[in-house]
Amino acid sequence: MSIDRLSRRQWSGAVAGLLAGLPPLFAQVNGLAAEPSSFRSVKDVRQRIPDELDRPVNRVTSSHRGWEIREDQYTIAANTSLADAEWAAAEVGRARAEMAALADRFTQVHRAADFGLNSLQVVIDGEQARERDAPPTTLNVVGIQTQVLINVSPGQPRLAQQRLRLRQATAFSLLHAAELDATLPAWVVLGMAGHVARAGEPDSVPLPGEFAPAGVSVGGEQWRFARTAADRLAAPPEDLDRAALAVEYLLTGDDAVHAAALLSAIQATNAGQRGQASRRINSPPGNEGVGVDEPGSVLAQLAKQAEREVPAWRKDPLRGQPEFKPEAGADPALVAAEREMLVVLKLLRRLTAAAPSRTVAKREEQSSRARAGTRIDEFLQQLATGSLPALSTLDADGQLLLSTDRQRMQALLGWNGQKYRAARQMPSGAKATGGESPMPPQLETRLPSGQVLIGWLADNPESPLRPRAKFEVVASRSRLADRRGGAAPAAGASTPAPSAP
């Protein structure tokens, strides 16, 4: 059909289509076009059709080349035995779950549907290594995949002896698949991987870097460093053990006092750098470095603090944690209640230390205790509702606890902080403070037996950084007798039931 024969309606449709195509054209010319929907990225959290081609059809397969175990996110291949493959698969599954639990505190990318399908490949090789000076465990990054080669040939460490390196590589693979190594400094990424590798292990266990000589690259440098030559990156040698100790101290050292600041800084840095990283990744690999520790940033300050404190912390790993010695033969239920109260006392100690102290005369001690009790009750309510800045400490089971963990805080403090309150009477083992000394927080809670448990943290002259946890059990009616001026029953004494009116 010729142009002169087009109807008015056809002309209108053609012009409208041309005008509709102009804005995307101009946006592409100016580099402002939105990311096409066909491009896959961890930033895209939309629900998609499952990638069935990346899912295993058979979980366990075997051939003349060995055995293979496939899960959605990782593949284990071994030419030694099926038992080796199953052992490695179990270790990878546990390490991946622990790394995901830690990553939950600063990102949710790894919780998206179909995240990191087949992103980790582990090969257990029983043949002689091709390179004589190659380390037993080799980790490499190819695109989104992390490849781990574990050599168990004669003369090399056994598979179980390379367990920490396998766990470290597994943790690193999750961070790499989430593109966190493109936004965070290298010491943070490698340190978190090393911390997860050593989680739950005694101090006598060697560090993960024992089988990775200093200066050996871990992989993924193309995300972080610029080029010094056409075939070389400006990647400084990373000390894996040093990074692991720094992150482990910041997460657990000194009763995890720095953990909240570290996780908050990681979350802020990741959110701020992700947009810049997405633009830089589109440039030729290695030409633009991302995830560099900027001087003066919170992460840089925490790294310097860790460098200063790690030597003293390694000599005394319990530094900053209160001394708690249950009585021999004590009721396990009572000891568990004391451990939970100790967690609350540690949080209150940090809150009251940050709050301005008031100096009062001895004659005003009673009114000072009332004001302190009111302030403690307010702190408990604010902790339960999450209205205070994030605080961190070690929970009763030794795991990291943040005051922003609403579910755990509700179980610990009760609804609206009603489980504990400021002690209404002075425990017999506590000394009243006055003058210039601040009054230590003292809590009480009612036990299922009807008795009242009172706890506080006392100064420890022998170890000032480790206060002593003190507890006392009194009868439930001792407070009433104290108010009436009568003699309080002895600790643990039975109290007769009140008579009916």
Side-chain angles (χ1 to χ4, degrees), residues 183-445:
T183 59
L184 298 175
W187 71 270
V188 176
V189 176
L190 300 178
M192 284 193 293
H195 167 68
V196 170
R198 281 175 47 87
E201 299 290 339
D203 295 335
S204 59
V205 172
L207 294 171
E210 178 180 350
F211 301 116
V216 174
S217 62
V218 178
E221 285 84 357
Q222 69 272 18
W223 298 102
R224 295 189 293 266
F225 303 104
R227 291 187 183 275
T228 57
D231 59 345
R232 187 172 303 175
L233 298 174
E238 288 291 344
D239 191 338
L240 303 182
D241 291 343
R242 183 177 181 181
L245 288 175
V247 173
E248 186 173 351
Y249 165 75
L250 293 174
L251 287 177
T252 63
D254 291 341
D255 194 37
V257 66
H258 306 293
L262 174 65
L263 296 174
S264 178
I266 290 175
Q267 184 177 16
T269 304
N270 179 46
Q273 292 288 339
R274 187 163 291 279
Q276 299 181 16
S278 63
R279 291 193 296 270
R280 292 175 178 177
I281 288 173
N282 291 329
S283 63
N287 289 347
E288 294 287 347
V290 295
V292 180
D293 209 351
E294 299 179 359
S297 64
V298 177
L299 288 177
Q301 296 175 6
L302 290 173
K304 293 180 180 179
Q305 186 168 9
E307 187 176 0
R308 294 192 304 265
E309 300 294 340
V310 161
W313 166 69
R314 293 208 70 187
K315 294 180 181 178
D316 185 12
L318 298 179
R319 187 182 71 167
Q321 302 181 26
E323 290 184 356
F324 175 57
K325 298 179 180 179
E327 296 182 2
D331 184 11
L334 177 61
V335 174
E338 292 174 348
R339 291 186 182 278
E340 290 216 336
M341 179 180 281
L342 178 57
V343 177
V344 184
L345 287 171
K346 292 190 296 182
L347 293 174
L348 285 178
R349 183 182 178 92
R350 291 176 187 169
L351 284 172
T352 54
S357 60
R358 301 176 180 177
T359 58
V360 292
K362 282 190 176 182
R363 65 177 182 269
E364 299 179 354
E365 180 180 339
Q366 187 173 1
S367 60
S368 172
R369 283 188 56 81
R371 290 195 299 269
T374 303
R375 185 174 59 173
I376 289 175
D377 291 339
E378 292 176 355
F379 282 157
L380 291 173
Q381 184 177 4
Q382 292 171 351
L383 278 174
T385 57
S387 58
L388 289 173
L391 298 174
S392 54
T393 185
L394 295 180
D395 207 343
D397 58 355
Q399 299 298 319
L400 177 63
L401 172 65
L402 298 181
S403 60
T404 53
D405 296 339
R406 296 298 302 278
Q407 186 174 2
R408 173 54 183 155
M409 295 301 295
Q410 290 286 348
L412 182 66
L413 299 172
W415 178 82
N416 205 21
Q418 300 298 321
K419 186 176 180 179
Y420 299 95
R421 66 174 183 172
R424 299 306 190 255
Q425 73 172 53
M426 177 72 70
S428 60
K431 296 182 179 180
T433 58
E436 299 293 333
S437 300
M439 187 176 301
Q442 298 162 5
L443 294 181
E444 68 177 32
T445 185

Side-chain angles (χ1 to χ4, degrees), residues 150-173:
I150 302 177
N151 190 275
V152 292
S153 61
Q156 299 287 2
R158 295 189 301 273
L159 179 61
Q161 293 177 327
Q162 303 187 51
R163 172 174 170 270
L164 296 184
R165 285 286 288 154
L166 175 61
R167 288 174 55 86
Q168 184 186 38
T170 302
F172 174 82
S173 69

